[in-house]
Amino acid sequence: MTEMTFADAVREGLAEEMRRDPLVWALGEDLSTAHGGTSANQYLGLIDEFGPKRIVNTPISENTIMGAAVGAAVAGTRPVADLRMADFGMCAVDELVNQAAKIRYMFGGQARVPLVVRQAIGMRKGGAAQHSQSTEAWYVHTPGLVVVAPGTPADGRGLLKSAIRADDPVVYMEHKDLWVSKGDVPDDEGLVPIGVAKTLRQGTDLTIVSWSKMAQLSNDAAEALAKDGASVEVIDLRTLWPWDKAAVYASIKKTGRLLVAQEAVQVGGFAAEIMADVTENCAGDLKTHARRIGAPRMPVPYAEPMENEYRVTTERVIAKARETLDA
Amino acid sequence: MTEMTFADAVREGLAEEMRRDPLVWALGEDLSTAHGGTSANQYLGLIDEFGPKRIVNTPISENTIMGAAVGAAVAGTRPVADLRMADFGMCAVDELVNQAAKIRYMFGGQARVPLVVRQAIGMRKGGAAQHSQSTEAWYVHTPGLVVVAPGTPADGRGLLKSAIRADDPVVYMEHKDLWVSKGDVPDDEGLVPIGVAKTLRQGTDLTIVSWSKMAQLSNDAAEALAKDGASVEVIDLRTLWPWDKAAVYASIKKTGRLLVAQEAVQVGGFAAEIMADVTENCAGDLKTHARRIGAPRMPVPYAEPMENEYRVTTERVIAKARETLDA
Amino acid sequence: MNQTTARENKPAHIFELYQTMCLIRAFEEKAEIAFDDGFINGSIHQYIGQEAVGTGVCQNLRASDYILSNHRGHGHSIAKGANPEAMMKELMGRVGGTSGAKGGSMHIADFSVGMLGANGVLADGLTMGVGAAQAITLKGEDNIVAVFVGDGTTNRGPFYEALNWAMVYELPILFVCENNTYASSTLTRSVTAGEGPVARAKAFGMPASDVDGNDIVAVDELAADLIARVRSGGGPHFLHARTYRVKGHISRDKLLYRRDGETSENWENEPLGRCAGWLAENGFDESELRTAHSAAYARIDAAVESAKAAPFPDAALAYVDVQDFGPPEPWTKEGGAS
Amino acid sequence: MNQTTARENKPAHIFELYQTMCLIRAFEEKAEIAFDDGFINGSIHQYIGQEAVGTGVCQNLRASDYILSNHRGHGHSIAKGANPEAMMKELMGRVGGTSGAKGGSMHIADFSVGMLGANGVLADGLTMGVGAAQAITLKGEDNIVAVFVGDGTTNRGPFYEALNWAMVYELPILFVCENNTYASSTLTRSVTAGEGPVARAKAFGMPASDVDGNDIVAVDELAADLIARVRSGGGPHFLHARTYRVKGHISRDKLLYRRDGETSENWENEPLGRCAGWLAENGFDESELRTAHSAAYARIDAAVESAKAAPFPDAALAYVDVQDFGPPEPWTKEGGAS
Ligand SMILES: Cc1ncc(C[n+]2csc(CCOP(=O)(O)OP(=O)(O)O)c2C)c(N)n1
Ligand SMILES: Cc1ncc(C[n+]2csc(CCOP(=O)(O)OP(=O)(O)O)c2C)c(N)n1
Ligand SMILES: [Mg+2]
Ligand SMILES: [Mg+2]
C-alpha cells in the first residue's frame, strides 16, 4: 500500500494501462501541459513517457474530443477522452449518447466502442452554476453506457483501469473535490471490478447507499450516528450502472431501512432510480419506506451562505438518517 | 370544438400567439419550407403570414438554433426553437442546460429566458436508435427548466400557448406518433395551464399516471381492465415539471394503488422520480408499493419483431396493472 | 476494385464503375418500391443522381481503408463493397441484414469492408472520422479514411472542428463534400454564407479540390490522385463534388418546394447517363451497357425477393449486443423490464 | 463615453480610455490580492494585458448596445459601464453584487448597461450573441451586439455556426477575437490549423480586420469605424485583436509552460504603458497620468473595502430566481429538499 492523492493514483493507473497496452491513449485539452499547474494534474509528466501521439493535447473542440474517441475506439484503439467537467461534457452529449452508446447495438454487434470518457462531477467551493454539476443520472438512463463514480484513490485507479479494459463505453466521473484527497493505494495491479459495491461500514439498523464524494459524507454521518447508538451500514456503489443490486438488497434484508444520499439535484436523480427499484424489489424487507437526500432543484449558487444552503451536508444526511431510523 | 390533428392544432396555437404578440417568433431547420411535405408540417404556411423574420429557416446548426433562442430571449423576444427531435436536441444540451436553464439564476434575476424549445420524443415505426428517444427525464432533472409533454391536440395547442407566454424556458416534447392523431380542439383561446394534470378516466382501484402518447395507451389499458371489473383512474400529467403532485396524491388516496407508465427507458426515467416521491409522500395511502413500467435499457432496434419486443404496449401496461391490482 | 488492370485500360475501369453505379441506382429504385409496398419502415434517403461521387471515391479505396457515411449511405456502402443483398435485408428488417436488422436504412454498416457506418445524426461521421484516422496513425497502418458530408451539414460546427483537427494532427483523411444543392427542403445556399465549402476548408489550410460530381471519369481521376496523396502522408484533403439530389430528401418527399422543371432539367445531367455516353464514345456498344444495367437490376430484384423471403429476426435478439456490463433485462410475463 | 467631445479632442478621448484601462488593471490586481487572501472563491480569469481591446470596443458602444462576454469578463464589464464596486461584491459573494452574489467572477452581468453576461462555457456567448442581434432586428432597434471570443475558443464548432448565421441573416454584430496567444496552458497556434481566425472569418464572406490589440489608439479608431458600419446596416464584422495574456490563465496559474523570459518580454508591450507613452507624447504630463492611475487604484481599493464590509447574502436567497413554475423546495428541518 502507498498513500497517494486521487489525482496521482488515477494518473498512475492510466500510465500503467498505457504501458500494458500500446493501443491505450488519452486526449483532451491541456493534457500535455497538465493544465499549467492550475488543475489537478492528472496527466502531469505523461507526455514525457508516452509522447504527443498518445497524450494528445487537443484544440478546444468538445464535439471532436468525444467524436474522435468514438471513431478511434471502433477503429481498434482504446481512447481515454477527458472532457474535464460534466458541465463541458454537455457540449458532447450527442457524440456520447447517439454514437458511443449505440454503435455496437445499431450495427448489430459488428463493433465495440471501448472508450473511457472522463467527466468530473461535483461542487468545488465557488464553482457556481456552470462548473459544479453532477449529471450521472443522465448517463445511467442511457442504454449502452457504463457509469462509474469512484470515491477513493484506490477505487479511482482500479476503476479507471477496469474501464480502460472494458469493451463498453464507460463514463468515468471523478469528483473535483476528491482529486486532492489521499488514501492507500495497493501496490499490485489493483483492478476494481465494474459493478461491485464496497461496504464502507457494517451496520444493522439502516443502510445508506451513496457514491463518489457523498459516500465519504455518508460514512461520516454513520460514525456520528454510531455515537448515538445507531448501527448504520454504508455502501459505496462505485459503479452506478450496472449498480450492485445484490449488495444493496442484502444490506436492506439485514437493516430493513434505506437512505440513498447523492450530491446531485434530488429531483430525477439516480437516487430516485434506486428508490424505485428497491420499492419494487425489497418491499418485504423494508421496515419503513426508503428515503433519499439530494440537492434542491436549483442551479448551484456562488456566495458561500447560499452555496452551503444548497449543499447536501453530513448534518443533513444525519438528520435524514435519523428520520429513517425513527420511522 | 373543432376536430383537428395534433400538428394542425399546435400550428394554430403558434399562429395565434404570433398574432397576439409580435415578439413571438420561430426558428428551426426547414420551417419555411415545412419539411417539404415530408414531416408533420407544424409550420406549413406560416411563412406566408409572418414572413422570414419570424418564421426563420435556419442552417443546420443545432448549437446556434438553441443558443440564438437563448440570446434572443434574454434580449426581449419570445423565440420558439424547433430542434425537430430530442435525438438531435442532444446536439444542443449545453445551450439549453448551461445557458437557458441557468441565466436567470446565475445573473441574480436580471434576466428572464422566455423561450420554448420543441424536441419531439417517442418511437415512430422503424425509427431505430437515433430517431426514437424520449429524454424527458434529463430535463426534469435540470433546475430552471419546465418540461411539458402533451398527449392530445387540445393539450398540444393549449400548452404550447402557455409555454410561449411563460417567462421560464420550456422544453416542449411532442410525440412523433401523435402529430397525425385527431382530437377536439376548443374554439376559444384554449390555454392549458402549466403544471396541471388531466384525469382521463375516474377510477377507484388503481391509479395509472402517464403522459404523452403513453397516456392514451394507459387509457386503453384501463378500458380493457374495466371489462374485468377493475376501476382504473388514469392521469395524464401533461406537465412533467412541475408535475401535478396534488392530483396524483389525491388519486392515490382514493385508489391506494399506483402504476406509472412511460415509453422511455425505465432505468433512470421520470417514472422513477414519481415512484420515489410517492414512496416518500404517500406511504400511508398505498395498499401496495408503487409500480412502474418502461422500456428495457437498450437502444431502439429497427426490425419489427425486435421493435415490438422493445415497446411498452397496452398489453404490457394491462399486465403490470393486473399485477398491481392483485398485490 | 482491380485498380491496376483498370488503370491500364481506362474504358474497362470506367465500365466497372458504371456497373457499381447501376447497382446503386437499382438498389435505390427497388428500395423505393419496397418502401411504398410497405416492406421497409422508417424512411429511406436515396442516393439517386449522386452515384458517381461515392463510386469514384470508394472504388479507389482499399477494403482496409475506412469510410464514414451519413444518412444517405446506401451508395457509399455498395461502392465500398458492402453486400447489397445483406443491405436489402437490413432495410426490410430481416435475418441476414448487414446490421442484424437492428439498424435499418440509416444504420447500414459493414465493418468487414471498412464501412464504419451510416449515421442518423448529421456531422457525427466527421468527428468519428478524424478519430478513426488517428487510430490508423497510432497503429502505424497505411490505411486512410474517407468521410462523406452533405452540403447542408457543412453548417454544423463539428464540421469545422474536424477540419481543424485533421490538419493539426496531419491525419490521413479525405473529406468528401457531396453538394447536392439541398438540405432536406432547404436550398443550402439560402442558409450558407460566403463562397461555400471549398473556401471554408482552405481557411483551415486544407488543400481543397472541386469536381463535377456527376462526371464519374473526373471524380475517379481526382479521387485516385487525392487518395494516393493522402495515403503517402500528404495530410488531409477536401474534395467538393457538385451534384444534385434528383429525388426527394426521403422517398416520400413530394418536392413541393422546387420550381417547375427543376428536377427534370437536372435529370438530364445525372451520372449514369453521362457515364454511358462516355463509355459509348470509348468503345462500348449499347448492348454491353444495357446488359450491365440489366444485370444490376436483376441482381437487386433477386436481392429484394430473397429479402422478402428471409425470416424476421427473433424478438429475443433485441436484447443482444447492448453492452457487456449491465445488459438489459428482458420483459417478464408480468410486464417487468429494466 | 462622451464620444462626440472625445472625437473633437483626441488626446482627451484617449485619456478617458486610459482611465478605464487603469480601472480594469486596478480591479484585476486587487482582485488577485483578495483572492489570495481568501476573499474570493472559485477562480478568477484576469484581463491584465488585454485592457485595450475591451476598452476600445466597449467604450465605442452605447449603453443600449449589447455585449456578450466569456470567462475573462471583468474588463469587458467595466468597459461597458458595469459598476466595479458591485462587481467586486459579486466576486466576494456579497450583498450588492452585480448578479446578487449568485454568479461570482465567471457570471458577472449587468443588463442595465447591456452587459448580457460573462460565461463559464466557451463559445456560448457567440450563439447567444447572434440571437440577441436577431432580437434587435425583430424589434427594429438600431442597437448592435459585440461578442468577445478567445483565440482558443475559435476551435469550437459553435464559433463557425455563429459566423455563418450572422452573415445569413445580415445581423448587426461585431465579433471580437482577443488573440492572447494562449488557451489555458496550450499555445493556441499549436492546435490551430491554417492562418487563423481572420482567414476563417473571411471564408464565411465576413469582412474582417486585424489590429494590434495592445494599442488603444488603433483599437479605438478601428472599433469606432466598424461599430458605425455595423450599426448602419453593414452587416457583421470580424475584428481580430492581437494581444498577450501576461498573467496566468487563472490567478493561481504558475505559468510553468512558458519559456524563460517570455512573460517579461511581453510585459514591455502591455497596453497601459503604451497608452501612457502616447498620452505623454500628446500633451499629457506625467503627473496627470499618475493621478489618473492612482485615482483608479484608490477607487478599487475602496471597492475592495466596501465589498469586504458588505454582508453575505441571506442563505434563503438561494431559493429565489430559479423559475416561476416549479421553484425549488427549501430544505426542511428533517433534511428534505426537492
Ligand atoms: C444533427 C441533425 N440535425 C438535423 C437532422 C435532420 N436531417 C436529416 S438529413 C437533413 C438534411 C441534410 O442535408 P445535407 O447535409 O445537404 O445532406 P443531403 O441530405 O443533401 O444528402 C436534415 C436536416 C439530423 N439527422 N441530424
Ligand atoms: C466548452 C468549454 N471547454 C473548456 C472549458 C475550460 N476552459 C476555460 S477557459 C479555457 C481556455 C480558453 O482559451 P481562449 O479562448 O484563448 O480564451 P482566454 O482564456 O485566452 O481568454 C478553457 C479550455 C470551458 N470553460 N468551456
Ligand atoms: Mg445536400
Ligand atoms: Mg486565449
Side-chain angles (χ1 to χ4, degrees), chain B residues 3-277:
Chain B
E3 196 187 49
M4 44 176 121
T5 66
F6 189 104
D8 289 342
V10 292
R11 187 182 60 245
E12 281 311 305
L14 175 59
E16 287 158 27
E17 290 306 299
M18 290 182 71
R19 278 174 213 131
R20 192 185 53 78
D21 181 351
L23 294 173
V24 176
W25 59 294
L27 68 163
E29 294 155 16
D30 300 290
L31 288 207
S32 69
T33 47
H35 302 174
T38 65
S39 185
N41 294 328
Q42 303 107 297
Y43 299 88
L44 195 72
L46 297 189
I47 180 80
D48 302 323
E49 179 173 354
F50 300 106
K53 281 227 144 113
R54 295 182 66 200
I55 295 291
V56 178
N57 222 35
T58 70
I60 303 173
S61 302
E62 278 74 14
N63 293 103
T64 310
I65 294 171
M66 192 68 237
V70 179
V74 300
T77 67
R78 295 186 171 271
V80 177
D82 198 320
L83 293 173
R84 285 196 166 175
M85 295 192 191
D87 314 71
F88 313 149
M90 292 184 191
C91 301
V93 167
D94 165 48
E95 290 78 5
L96 176 59
V97 173
N98 278 326
Q99 307 300 342
K102 295 180 173 54
I103 278 180
R104 174 173 171 186
Y105 190 77
M106 74 186 168
F107 296 153
Q110 291 183 71
R112 293 287 180 283
V113 191
L115 65 81
V116 180
V117 53
R118 296 174 76 163
Q119 302 200 17
I121 52 172
M123 295 169 68
R124 208 153 44 154
K125 199 170 164 185
Q130 293 175 332
H131 286 65
S132 304
Q133 294 167 88
S134 296
T135 51
E136 65 270 19
W138 291 1
Y139 303 120
V140 169
H141 187 43
T142 303
L145 298 180
V146 167
V147 183
V148 302
T152 66
D155 287 346
R157 168 172 170 262
L159 270 172
L160 182 64
K161 296 176 73 151
S162 294
I164 289 170
R165 296 184 193 191
D167 282 342
D168 292 335
V170 179
V171 186
Y172 182 95
M173 304 187 112
E174 51 209 298
H175 194 293
K176 298 173 212 93
D177 263 356
L178 290 180
W179 280 328
V180 294
S181 72
K182 288 189 175 166
D184 280 338
V185 174
D187 298 317
D188 66 4
E189 191 155 71
L191 288 175
V192 173
I194 288 170
V196 179
K198 188 168 65 179
T199 302
L200 299 187
R201 196 189 164 87
Q202 304 274 352
T204 51
D205 301 336
L206 166 69
T207 303
I208 304 184
V209 169
S210 192
W211 57 92
S212 192
K213 186 186 160 191
M214 193 53 62
Q216 194 49 59
L217 271 71
S218 300
N219 207 43
D220 296 346
E223 257 172 43
L225 289 159
K227 294 192 188 116
D228 292 357
S231 167
V232 178
E233 180 144 314
V234 178
I235 296 181
D236 177 357
L237 282 183
R238 307 194 289 189
T239 300
L240 307 191
W241 189 267
W243 59 284
D244 193 342
K245 295 188 184 183
V248 174
Y249 293 178
S251 180
I252 290 173
K253 213 177 193 71
K254 186 165 61 161
T255 64
R257 290 171 202 273
L258 175 70
L259 170 61
V260 189
Q262 70 180 23
E263 176 175 329
V265 163
Q266 176 166 307
V267 173
F270 178 52
E273 173 58 28
I274 300 178
M275 292 270 292
D277 182 282

Side-chain angles (χ1 to χ4, degrees), chain B residues 30 33 61 130 266 297 302 309, chain C residues 91 120 155 185-186 319 331:
Chain B
D30 300 290
T33 47
S61 302
Q130 293 175 332
Q266 176 166 307
R297 191 175 179 279
Y302 171 72
E309 179 65 22
Chain C
L91 266 59
N155 286 322
S185 60
T186 295
Y319 301 106
W331 290 95

Side-chain angles (χ1 to χ4, degrees), chain C residues 150-152 178 180-183 188:
Chain C
D151 45 331
E178 299 187 88
N180 66 4
T181 312
Y182 282 92
T188 302

Side-chain angles (χ1 to χ4, degrees), chain A residues 29-39 44 57-64 84 87-88 91-92 124-131 265-267 292-313 315-317 319-321 323, chain D residues 39-43 90-94 100-107 119-122 124 152-153 155-158 183-186 190-191 249-250 252-257 312-319 322-323 326-331 333-338:
Chain A
E29 294 155 17
D30 299 290
L31 288 206
S32 68
T33 47
H35 302 172
T38 64
S39 187
L44 196 72
N57 221 33
T58 70
I60 303 173
S61 301
E62 278 74 15
N63 293 102
T64 309
R84 286 195 165 177
D87 314 71
F88 312 151
C91 301
R124 206 152 45 154
K125 199 171 164 183
Q130 294 175 331
H131 285 65
V265 164
Q266 175 165 307
V267 173
R292 60 178 169 164
I293 186 166
R297 191 176 180 279
M298 60 199 202
V300 177
Y302 171 72
E304 233 171 298
M306 295 193 279
E307 192 184 50
N308 289 337
E309 179 64 22
Y310 180 95
R311 280 182 194 279
V312 180
T313 58
E315 292 65 42
R316 285 178 166 143
V317 175
K320 197 79 191 172
E323 181 197 315
Chain D
F39 285 97
I40 297 174
N41 295 336
S43 51
E90 186 65 31
L91 266 60
M92 295 199 195
R94 308 297 174 116
K102 284 217 172 75
S105 161
M106 248 185 296
H107 310 296
N119 211 310
V121 185
L122 299 173
D124 285 5
T153 305
N155 286 322
R156 272 209 75 209
S184 188
S185 59
T186 295
S190 72
V191 289
H249 172 57
I250 54 176
R252 287 188 307 279
D253 181 355
K254 300 282 178 295
L255 292 171
L256 302 175
Y257 46 87
F312 285 102
D314 223 50
L317 288 171
Y319 301 105
V322 178
Q323 57 192 109
E329 280 174 35
W331 289 96
K333 261 163 277 146
E334 315 83 64
S338 87

Side-chain angles (χ1 to χ4, degrees), chain C residues 22-70:
Chain C
C22 288
L23 209 54
I24 297 172
R25 177 70 56 89
F27 186 91
E28 297 295 40
E29 290 187 355
K30 297 300 180 181
E32 180 170 344
I33 294 168
F35 185 93
D36 290 342
D37 289 347
F39 286 95
I40 298 175
N41 294 336
S43 51
I44 54 170
H45 300 81
Q46 295 161 282
Y47 200 59
I48 296 180
Q50 305 179 210
E51 294 91 344
V53 185
T55 302
V57 170
C58 293
Q59 296 265 315
N60 278 293
L61 295 171
R62 303 175 182 163
S64 56
D65 291 329
Y66 299 134
I67 65 165
L68 288 109
S69 170
N70 54 14

